């Protein structure tokens, strides 16, 4: 990210400071060994133009703290204080459009040993304006990556650990160099895991299928939301191992994630998925979710934290 694309203020070393002053030492442990964890959270500008609707803020904060636990961090934070920090930062930045939050916990000590214990831990947060991460107006062209998803016994995917994203970066580069938008990674068992930065669903004979949380995937919050919406719509869903060949035979396939939102897949390894047109099940679930993201859904209102960022216009 370049400087002028971020919003003005960041949270750094316990206070809100200008983003340009939120800088770390080149000796920082996390920079050398990938000993950090992060979250990616979206805030959508409400139809009233005065409110930011943050999607599942406390669920993201909880996952961040679980990742911190994997990294044996001691932080003076709870789900509530992480959430409050982000709400305060949102007020200070007063965004005028949709935003993305990037909270990061990291091993801040200047220390040469690759270890987890005995190091100082810090929380930092910055924000940037953000529209689509994948172009959701069209189908995605995807390849199955030749890179294997890191396994739970190497770097657990269920933690959103910074170092593990080298694995994602290998897959993303490979996809783009093959003219594709993204990659699907298989795990060490050869089963489907996830996209480079998103979870994956397929539909076969009307059944929604996604790999289980024991399949070397991130326990995605959008994934969980998709499963909830599917249950509410009466769409049967299974969490089970998916073979590579099932991808090619699927009636539908789509990515989901905070960045990706709901992005349907048109081709995998050059093979057309279903009819190669916007798929109906993904469409139905996506319509509910996009309403929920923007705070327009009564049913999923509890997923939204509303932050007032401007005074309401005076009544006429
Ligand atoms: N898998 C990976 C590897 C990711 O980076 C992301 C994005 N956070 C996801 C899945 C989707 O997770 P979520 O819905 O919580 O954003």
């Amino acid at each position: 990210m370049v400087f002028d694309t971020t919003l003005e203020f960041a949270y750094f070393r316990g206070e809100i400071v200008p983003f340009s002053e939120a800088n770390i030492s080149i000796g920082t442990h996390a920079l050398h060994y990938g000993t950090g964890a992060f979250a990616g959270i979206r805030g959508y500008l409400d139809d009233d133009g005065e409110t930011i609707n943050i999607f599942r803020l406390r669920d993201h904060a909880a996952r961040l703290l679980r990742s911190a636990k994997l990294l044996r961090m001691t932080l003076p934070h709870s789900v509530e204080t992480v959430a409050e920090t982000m709400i305060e930062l949102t007020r200070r930045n007063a965004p005028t459009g949709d935003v993305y939050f990037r909270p990061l916990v990291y091993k801040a000590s200047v220390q040469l040993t690759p270890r987890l214990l005995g190091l100082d831990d810090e929380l930092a947060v910055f924000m940037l304006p953000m529209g689509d991460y994948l172009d959701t107006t069209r189908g995605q062209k995807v390849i199955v990556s030749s890179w294997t998803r890191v396994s739970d016994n190497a770097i657990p995917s269920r933690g959103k650990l910074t170092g593990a994203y080298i694995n994602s970066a290998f897959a993303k580069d490979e996809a783009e160099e093959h003219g594709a938008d993204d990659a699907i990674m298989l795990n060490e068992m050869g089963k489907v895991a996830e996209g480079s930065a998103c979870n994956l669903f397929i539909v076969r004979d009307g059944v929604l299928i996604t790999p289980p949380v024991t399949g070397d995937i991130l326990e995605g919050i959008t994934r969980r939301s998709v499963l909830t919406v599917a249950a509410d719509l009466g769409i049967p869903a299974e969490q089970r191992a998916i073979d590579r060949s099932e991808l090619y035979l699927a009636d539908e396939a789509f990515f989901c994630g905070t960045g990706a939102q709901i992005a349907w897949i048109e081709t995998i390894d050059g093979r057309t998925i279903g009819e190669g047109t916007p798929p109906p099940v993904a469409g139905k679930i996506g319509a509910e979710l996009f309403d929920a993201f923007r705070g327009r859904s009564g049913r999923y209102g509890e997923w939204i934290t509303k932050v007032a960022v401007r005074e309401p216009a005076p009544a006429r």
Side-chain angles (χ1 to χ4, degrees):
M1 290 305 152
V2 286
F3 269 63
D4 56 0
T5 65
T6 68
L7 294 184
E8 192 178 354
F9 295 105
Y11 177 84
F12 184 63
R13 293 188 178 144
E15 51 187 352
I16 291 178
V17 298
F19 177 81
S20 59
E21 292 172 18
N23 300 315
I24 57 161
S25 158
I26 59 166
T28 303
H29 196 272
L31 184 61
H32 293 254
Y33 302 124
T35 46
F38 64 100
I41 307 172
R42 276 190 187 261
Y44 293 85
L45 186 67
D46 193 273
D47 295 331
D48 70 8
E50 292 152 4
T51 310
I52 296 292
N53 295 315
I54 308 179
F55 189 67
R56 303 197 75 162
L57 171 59
R58 284 169 179 80
D59 294 310
H60 280 282
R63 188 178 66 196
L64 181 70
L65 294 182
R66 281 199 296 275
S67 296
K69 186 173 181 181
L70 275 176
L71 296 179
R72 312 183 83 172
M73 290 183 168
T74 41
L75 289 162
H77 280 286
S78 62
V79 168
E80 215 37 56
T81 62
V82 171
E84 281 307 320
T85 300
M86 291 183 41
I87 291 168
E88 184 53 32
L89 189 63
T90 308
R91 288 198 191 105
R92 284 291 292 277
N93 276 322
T96 52
D98 297 345
V99 287
Y100 182 83
F101 298 86
R102 175 46 65 86
L104 171 74
V105 290
Y106 62 100
K107 300 273 168 197
S109 302
V110 174
Q111 239 263 17
L112 283 186
T113 310
R115 61 156 68 95
L116 298 175
L117 286 174
L119 302 170
D120 296 335
D121 304 308
E122 288 278 355
L123 167 71
V125 190
F126 70 96
M127 296 171 59
L128 54 159
M130 183 143 157
D132 279 352
Y133 171 76
L134 295 175
D135 181 354
T136 53
T137 61
R138 60 171 177 80
Q140 305 300 300
K141 293 190 174 17
V142 173
I143 59 163
V144 174
S145 182
S146 66
W147 293 96
T148 301
R149 186 76 186 127
V150 276
S151 78
D152 196 60
N153 270 328
I155 308 176
S157 291
R158 91 166 24 79
K160 206 166 160 51
L161 310 180
T162 57
Y165 278 78
I166 293 170
N167 187 231
S168 296
F170 281 146
K172 184 74 173 178
D173 272 10
E174 184 185 22
E176 290 183 339
E177 282 164 7
H178 283 80
D181 300 297
D182 210 303
I184 295 172
M185 301 185 79
L186 308 181
N187 63 21
E188 276 188 350
M189 307 298 289
K191 303 298 178 190
V192 171
E194 57 185 341
S196 67
C198 42
N199 291 116
L200 177 82
F201 282 85
I202 61 170
V203 177
R204 295 194 69 191
D205 297 327
V207 180
L208 194 60
I209 310 168
T210 197
V213 293
T214 48
D216 297 314
I217 64 165
L218 184 72
E219 295 176 347
I221 289 162
T222 319
R223 173 185 178 280
R224 219 191 309 158
S225 310
V226 166
L227 289 169
T228 301
V229 169
D232 291 344
L233 292 175
I235 299 167
E238 288 177 7
Q239 298 180 55
R240 64 155 175 85
I242 297 175
D243 284 332
R244 178 178 189 163
S245 59
E246 289 188 278
L247 296 174
Y248 302 146
L249 298 178
D251 304 319
E252 299 186 19
F254 63 94
F255 284 134
C256 73
T258 299
Q261 303 175 110
I262 301 290
W264 67 278
I265 296 172
E266 187 175 338
T267 64
I268 301 177
D269 292 337
R271 296 161 185 252
T272 301
I273 304 306
E275 304 299 317
T277 50
V281 175
K284 257 194 246 168
I285 294 171
E288 290 281 336
L289 270 180
F290 277 98
D291 267 2
F293 292 155
R294 295 220 163 262
R296 292 177 188 146
S297 163
R299 191 174 211 173
Y300 303 116
E302 69 193 28
W303 285 346
I304 299 296
T305 300
K306 288 193 170 286
V307 184
V309 290
R310 259 173 296 286
E311 295 295 314
R316 289 168 183 253

